[in-house]
């Protein structure tokens, strides 16, 4: 990675402000249902503690819309961190202000403080300079480990770097960037990209960027229908973005010109409607009945895609093959999850829905790397810069 990391700076006795992504799912009683995001930042936090830093942790949680809201308090995160770190984690009721200043002044090396939700202040998402300065006043060193928000130029991910002497990446940030950016730049071949999810428009940047780098592109999910329609075929009431049909056609042509293999589904599980109890059947891609909706790839497609994946040495997967949240349409996605997990390859899964899918399929342990960031991982795969990353010090500055 071409950015400085936490290992490149002196932390001893310093106030080290770590921007983490503790945006974990909570149930209706405020209990954390999956603490994966907290655990993934532990290497950075533990390293800072071991180096004798005064560790100040900050994050957002949910969408409190710029106002304090008990529902989005980081109090449950403080409790969980206490357990995970086996340490008396302090917690302040705000992320800036006199109480915070006072608490930070009283910190000793090895102490850990968690600040309340950054997004209780509207200034956070507006990248307000005064707010960024107030956060920066708490820090000698800024560490960004919040990969999941690195695609946003907010006060705590971007503005703060202008007012702190040293801004570096944490271990999670480094790992994410190494897997997503460097693997794409220097893949072991064959390199296969599997793309799914609802819409072509959401993934177009990724296809455009990867089409020059991959050996095969496999497209499933709702986005496949715009491609099938672009061949002049009918897709019933399946999800189609009319305005993307021409783009889909252009992509098919340009991928073929480059000698990249392009795979589309050859059969589907279709339903009479989106209702949970609706009648379903399996049909070839040429025979989707009028008025029916394609909601999963069919068994022949699963076999085709599985074979296409088998010889891969590098696989990137982003987006489910169908509406996998409903049992009736989850088979295709889970089968592809198993095929990816079984491949003798470096396997990288993009965040969000695909992360959920590999966990539900029970194969998450067999995936080389699962990204913690949905939007941020897409942006890296699109070959774009992440503001929260580009604001950090370049490695050559050390
Ligand atoms: P994305 O966020 O673009 O990766 O899209 C993920 C969503 O796409 C999931 O919630 C899936 O239910 C949905 N999806 C996948 N395949 C289909 C399909 N054939 N029709 C409608 N929605 C789909």
């Amino acid at each position: 990675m071409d950015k400085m990391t936490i290992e490149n700076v002196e932390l001893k006795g310093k106030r080290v402000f770590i921007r983490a992504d503790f945006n974990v799912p909570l149930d209706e009683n405020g209990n954390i249902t999956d603490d994966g995001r907290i655990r993934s930042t532990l290497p950075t936090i533990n390293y800072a503690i071991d180096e004798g830093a005064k560790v100040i942790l900050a994050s957002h949680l949910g969408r409190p819309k710029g106002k304090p809201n008990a529902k989005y308090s980081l109090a449950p995160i403080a409790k969980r961190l206490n357990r995970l770190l086996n340490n008396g984690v302090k917690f302040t009721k705000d992320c800036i202000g006199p109480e915070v200043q006072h608490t930070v002044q009283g910190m000793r090396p090895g102490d850990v403080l968690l600040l309340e939700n950054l997004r209780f202040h509207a200034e956070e998402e507006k990248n307000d300079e005064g707010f960024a300065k107030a956060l920066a006043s708490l820090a000698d060193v800024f560490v960004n480990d919040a990969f999941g928000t690195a695609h946003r130029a907010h006060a705590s991910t971007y503005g703060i770097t202008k007012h702190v002497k040293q801004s570096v990446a944490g271990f999670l940030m480094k790992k994410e960037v190494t897997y997503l950016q460097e693997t794409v730049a220097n893949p072991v071949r064959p390199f296969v990209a599997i793309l799914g999810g609802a819409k072509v428009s959401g993934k177009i940047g990724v296809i455009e960027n990867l089409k020059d780098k991959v050996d095969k592109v496999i497209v499933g999910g709702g986005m496949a229908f715009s491609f099938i329609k672009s061949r002049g075929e009918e897709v019933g009431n399946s999800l189609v973005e009319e305005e993307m049909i021409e783009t889909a056609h252009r992509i098919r042509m340009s991928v073929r010109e480059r000698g990249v293999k392009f795979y589309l589904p050859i059969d589907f599980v279709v339903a009479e409607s989106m209702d949970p109890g609706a009648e379903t059947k399996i049909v070839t891609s040429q025979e989707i009945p009028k008025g029916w909706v394609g909601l999963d790839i069919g068994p022949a497609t699963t076999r085709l895609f599985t074979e296409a994946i088998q010889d891969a040495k590098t696989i990137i997967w982003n987006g489910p093959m169908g509406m996998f949240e409903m049992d009736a349409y989850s088979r295709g996605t889970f089968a592809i999850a198993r095929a990816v997990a079984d491949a003798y390859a470096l396997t990288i899964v993009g965040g969000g829905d695909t992360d959920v899918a590999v966990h539900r399929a029970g194969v998450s342990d067999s995936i080389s790397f699962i990204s913690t960031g949905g939007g941020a991982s897409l942006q890296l795969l699109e070959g774009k810069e992440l503001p929260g990353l580009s604001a950090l010090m370049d490695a050559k500055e050390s």
Side-chain angles (χ1 to χ4, degrees), residues 196-199 203 221-222 225 239 294-295 319-325 353:
K199 292 179 172 178
K203 305 278 157 76
F225 297 106
L239 194 71
L295 292 173
M321 296 290 104
M323 209 181 238
F324 78 105
E325 297 90 340
D353 287 314

Side-chain angles (χ1 to χ4, degrees), residues 147 176-184 348 371 377 380-381:
F147 177 74
E176 292 271 4
V177 174
T178 304
Y179 271 106
L180 289 163
Q181 211 170 41
E182 295 178 12
T183 306
V184 171
I348 301 175
S371 176
S377 70
L380 268 192
L381 293 177

Side-chain angles (χ1 to χ4, degrees), residues 59-136:
S59 176
H60 72 285
L61 175 66
R63 296 203 168 99
K65 306 209 172 109
K67 286 197 282 287
N69 180 340
K71 198 173 142 201
Y72 299 113
S73 170
L74 289 186
I77 319 289
K79 218 166 130 193
R80 182 61 55 98
L81 274 169
N82 243 321
R83 179 134 56 84
L84 293 171
L85 293 171
N86 212 0
N87 193 337
V89 174
K90 293 195 186 74
F91 180 59
T92 46
K93 289 195 203 77
D94 203 345
C95 59
I96 55 167
E99 185 211 346
V100 178
Q101 294 277 359
H102 185 255
T103 310
V104 170
Q105 268 161 24
M107 286 176 81
R108 286 175 315 200
D111 283 354
V112 180
L113 166 67
L114 174 67
L115 307 178
E116 183 54 286
N117 197 336
L118 293 158
R119 291 194 190 163
F120 284 180
H121 294 262
E123 295 88 344
E124 159 66 356
E125 290 185 81
K126 289 183 185 143
N127 190 24
D128 175 83
E129 182 157 9
F131 184 69
K133 273 188 184 162
L135 294 175

Side-chain angles (χ1 to χ4, degrees), residues 266-269 281-283 296-306 331-332 335:
I266 50 176
D267 65 344
F268 289 101
V269 177
K281 57 184 175 183
I282 293 162
V283 297
D296 193 11
I297 55 173
T301 306
T302 298
R303 280 196 297 278
L304 173 73
F305 286 3
T306 301
R331 275 184 170 216

Side-chain angles (χ1 to χ4, degrees), residues 202-263:
K203 305 278 157 76
I204 184 80
V206 178
I207 307 182
E208 295 279 15
N209 184 42
L210 291 185
K211 71 176 195 264
D212 294 325
K213 304 178 171 79
V214 295
D215 300 291
K216 301 181 192 183
V217 178
I218 294 174
V219 171
M223 63 189 278
F225 297 106
S226 295
F227 283 97
I228 291 176
K229 191 104 198 246
S230 81
R231 293 193 305 216
E233 289 159 35
E234 287 309 316
V235 296
N237 277 357
S238 308
L239 194 71
V240 168
E241 289 169 280
E242 292 294 338
E243 67 287 0
M244 293 309 281
I245 291 178
E246 212 167 304
T247 309
H249 178 75
R250 183 176 52 74
I251 289 174
R252 275 199 301 113
M253 293 302 134
S254 71
V255 163
R256 193 183 296 165
E257 267 167 32
R258 284 171 170 77
V260 173
K261 306 274 184 300
F262 191 75
Y263 293 83

